[in-house]
Structure formats: structure tokens, C-alpha cells
Amino acid sequence: MTATRILVTGGAGFIGSHHVRTLLGPNGPPDVSVTVLDDLTYAGNPANLDDVRHTDRFAFVQGDICDPDLADALLAEHDQVVHFAAESHVDRSISGAAAFVRTNVQGTQTLLDAALRHRPKRFVHVSSDEVYGSIRHGSWPETDPLRPNSPYSASKAASDLIALAYHRTHGLDVRVTRCSNTYGSHQFPEKLVPLFITRLLEGRPVPLYGDGHNVRDWIHVDDHVRGIELVRTLGRPGEVYNVGAGNELSNRELTGLLLTACGADWDMVRFIEDRKGHDRRYSVDFTKIRTELGFMTAKDMSSGLAETVDWYRTHRSWWEPLLRRSEKGRELPMRVLS
Ligand code: NAD
């Protein structure tokens, strides 16, 4: 059987590396080979791929998705693309949006142009629930208009719409996933879950934005990857699939769970000035992927969080140098309110 050659962009990052380990792991499809294209920005970590490095079905290319020649050469040699590579942290997009527009918008368009020349069988674009904006009540179906608020979500919305445009205009087999907030192992310690866990494990206080009542639907990374795999293998061209877990928690509630899991209490929490333009609530309606593709989450929040805390507890050598480097010169730059 000829292997399906899959190009995974951003495969050295958090979710991308879980996807690669799933594809090449013992329960992955037997007939795939994987090339990771990743520029190893601050968020990309080659160690995330150590488990698969030995297999002859794996290759790694360090490079920029904005490089048209590299994109062209790689698309010529692959049957499918799963596109994770992005600048992914909202706070960083507030202090500087240029890298977000370049990588997320121009990088996606560069890959799609190369795809146009080589016509891969599938192009899965990994988007985000943040593209919908903020919702007070109810949940967004895939048909809702995109009303992104942060520079990050605006750049993701632009790339999501460009990807769909290449399907409608050029007939490329593009499929889009819009998943909710994802947690799990191997996540760079700057977003809420890994930042709070690593700080609490070091006995340091954690910064909670505003009143802490912002709500997100939290999904374990294995479930996010399962959703992407269903879309890659069984989804329909030109379709968007929301991926969610129905685990809506305010940041306060999530903080409470993390404090308990790390054996700490509320004395360790510092309420800080809110993030600019902080979206109040995200909630995706993921009926479509459930009914059409049979998606179900497998990890409940309490065991998923316990496993995640355990991973950070036992992998200090993975995150301690990253934390030191990311904090250099920007130790809690926020104004503490209490
Ligand atoms: P991440 O920041 O951990 O990883 C991003 C990866 O992309 C890194 O390995 C980085 O080196 C690479 N990269 C960045 N710029 C690049 C460039 N110009 N060329 C090549 N590689 C480049 O991100 P993540 O949290 O794993 O998110 C992956 C994707 O999933 C993103 O597209 C993100 O928008 C989306 N997403 C994330 C979440 C979440 O909660 N983390 C939720 C929904 C969707």
C-alpha cells in the first residue's frame, strides 16, 4: 500500500505535535508518513517530536510557511496538508500584530497558492472558535458570521475565510475546523492553563485577568486532535466543523480547579487589570461534527486536568528553561488590582 504523505505545518507546537504523535503512534493509521514544516519560533519545540523522530515515516523541515519556494517544493511531494502553524497567543497580538498578520494570513495564503499548483487531496485548515467573536447567550453554529475582536482572532478569521475562498473559487479540497480552548501537555507556558500550573508548581502567584468571569469551553488536546482527524478522514470538502467539549468554565472556576490540582489556595491568585478587548464568552455549537462524523470527547475535565498537572510536575526540564526565557524582561508586566 502506498503511504499517504501528510504535511503538518506547526507540528513542533502544542496541538500540532500531539497530532503528529497520534498519526505516527501505535493507534495511528498504518498507511501515513508525516513531514513537519515548522520554523521553530519561541512556541515550537523540537523535543515535542522526540517520540516519533526514530520512525522512517517521519521527516522534519525547519522553515517558514511564508516562503513560497519551500511551500511549493513541499506541496509537490505531499498528498494532504494539516495546517496548524500560526502565531497563537492573543496577548502577544495585542502588543504587536505584525507577526500575526504575516504568519497567519500571508503564510496561509502562501501554502494555499502552492496547493493550487499541486492539488493535494486535502487541506485541513485549523482555525479557532475565537473567529466568531464573543457571545452572551447560546452557541455559534458554523453558519454564524465571523466577528473577531483581537488581532489574533482577526488574523485567524482572515486565514479561515481565505482557505474557504480557495475551495469556492478554485475547487481545492479545503476543510476548516474551529475548535475551542485547548489544554494538555506540551503547551508553551504562557496561556492560562500551562502558565498557572507551572507557576503554582514553583510556588509563585498566578495572574487572573479582570473579574475572572470570562467563559471558555475547555477541550483536552487529544479530543481536539480526534476532531481534526475525523474532519481529515471523513469530513466534506468546503465544510467548516466546530469542535467543542461542552466544558464551559469561567476563568475563576478553572483557576479553582487548577489550585486544587496543584495543592494551592486562593492566596496564590493576583487579580490584574483586564486584557484589552477581552472577549467575555465563547461557545461553539458542535452538533454538526457529532451528528455527521460521530465526534465524541473522551476526556472529562477533571481527569484531563489531573493528567496535565501530572505531566508538568514530571517534566520540569521541558518547561523550566522556556518559562525563564519567556519571562526575561517581562515579569508580570500587569497592574495588580488585589
Ligand atoms: P503553538 O503556538 O503551540 O504552535 C504554533 C507552531 O507554529 C509552533 O511550533 C511554531 O514554531 C510554528 N510556527 C509559527 N510561525 C511559523 C511560520 N511562519 N512558519 C512555520 N512554522 C511556524 O500553537 P497551538 O496552540 O498548538 O495552535 C495550533 C493551531 O491551532 C493554531 O493555528 C491555532 O490558531 C489553533 N488553535 C489553537 C487553540 C488553542 O487553544 N491553543 C484552539 C483552537 C485553535
Side-chain angles (χ1 to χ4, degrees):
M1 194 191 308
T2 323
T4 301
R5 300 162 304 172
I6 305 178
L7 178 66
V8 179
T9 72
F14 166 44
I15 307 166
S17 68
H18 277 273
H19 183 237
V20 172
R21 287 191 302 275
T22 300
L23 283 175
L24 296 177
N27 302 318
D31 54 344
V32 300
S33 67
V34 172
T35 303
V36 166
L37 168 61
D38 198 297
D39 211 14
L40 299 180
T41 67
Y42 78 93
N45 189 341
N48 290 350
L49 297 166
D50 282 351
D51 290 354
V52 295
R53 205 174 293 289
H54 60 278
T55 124
D56 56 6
R57 295 190 288 134
F58 172 76
F60 180 81
V61 175
Q62 180 169 2
D64 185 350
I65 57 166
C66 298
D67 176 343
D69 296 334
L70 181 58
D72 195 73
L74 288 170
L75 262 294
E77 291 171 356
H78 290 86
D79 308 303
Q80 300 186 7
V81 179
V82 184
H83 174 36
F84 292 93
E87 287 293 336
S88 69
H89 190 36
V90 174
D91 287 347
R92 286 179 187 256
S93 80
I94 294 168
S95 47
F100 288 74
V101 174
R102 182 184 177 276
T103 290
N104 301 359
V105 185
Q106 191 194 329
T108 300
Q109 173 250 312
T110 304
L111 290 169
L112 287 163
D113 275 347
L116 213 47
R117 289 188 288 277
H118 299 289
R119 311 292 301 193
K121 292 198 183 74
R122 281 160 209 189
F123 189 113
V124 180
H125 176 76
V126 180
S127 186
S128 159
D129 64 350
E130 302 200 21
V131 298
Y132 292 113
S134 186
I135 189 167
R136 208 176 273 273
H137 308 289
S139 306
W140 299 290
E142 289 82 355
T143 47
D144 256 34
L146 307 191
R147 295 191 187 90
N149 293 314
S150 73
Y152 163 70
S153 55
S155 68
K156 290 298 291 184
S159 56
D160 175 319
L161 293 175
I162 288 170
L164 290 170
Y166 274 61
H167 168 73
R168 296 195 187 114
T169 308
H170 300 293
L172 266 190
D173 181 334
V174 170
R175 300 149 190 220
V176 172
T177 61
R178 294 182 186 147
C179 187
S180 57
N181 276 44
T182 307
Y183 71 94
S185 66
H186 299 83
Q187 186 173 23
F188 186 88
E190 65 180 351
K191 292 172 191 153
L192 195 154
V193 170
L195 179 73
F196 280 26
I197 294 174
T198 52
R199 288 185 72 97
L200 290 170
L201 291 178
E202 290 194 321
R204 295 199 292 158
V206 295
L208 187 55
Y209 276 136
D211 62 8
H213 288 302
N214 306 70
V215 172
R216 304 290 184 260
D217 170 16
W218 291 91
I219 187 169
H220 189 272
V221 64
D222 289 347
D223 288 325
H224 186 163
V225 165
R226 181 173 306 107
I228 289 169
E229 273 301 279
L230 282 172
V231 172
R232 181 183 72 81
T233 54
L234 301 173
R236 286 180 292 139
E239 291 294 320
V240 176
Y241 295 89
N242 287 340
V243 185
N247 277 327
E248 283 189 34
L249 290 175
S250 70
N251 286 346
R252 257 182 204 259
E253 291 168 321
L254 177 62
T255 300
L257 295 178
L258 291 170
L259 289 170
T260 307
C262 294
D265 59 36
W266 281 92
D267 293 351
M268 297 304 282
V269 178
R270 303 285 178 271
F271 284 88
I272 59 162
E273 196 173 357
D274 208 356
R275 167 192 278 167
K276 279 187 190 173
H278 203 171
D279 285 336
R280 197 62 172 170
R281 176 170 172 264
Y282 298 150
S283 180
V284 282
D285 177 341
F286 55 105
T287 309
K288 179 175 171 181
I289 192 168
R290 278 200 284 124
T291 53
E292 203 178 289
L293 306 182
F295 174 74
M296 275 171 33
T297 54
K299 277 269 159 68
D300 67 83
M301 189 80 190
S302 59
S303 61
L305 272 187
E307 260 177 41
T308 305
V309 170
D310 196 48
W311 187 85
Y312 282 94
R313 211 192 291 279
T314 52
H315 289 78
R316 294 183 85 106
S317 61
W318 184 92
W319 56 264
E320 277 172 342
L322 301 178
L323 199 60
R324 294 291 89 77
R325 220 177 309 142
S326 77
E327 281 178 352
K328 224 171 173 188
R330 23 180 244 133
E331 173 61 19
L332 288 188
M334 320 89 164
R335 193 155 63 83
V336 175
L337 301 180
S338 67

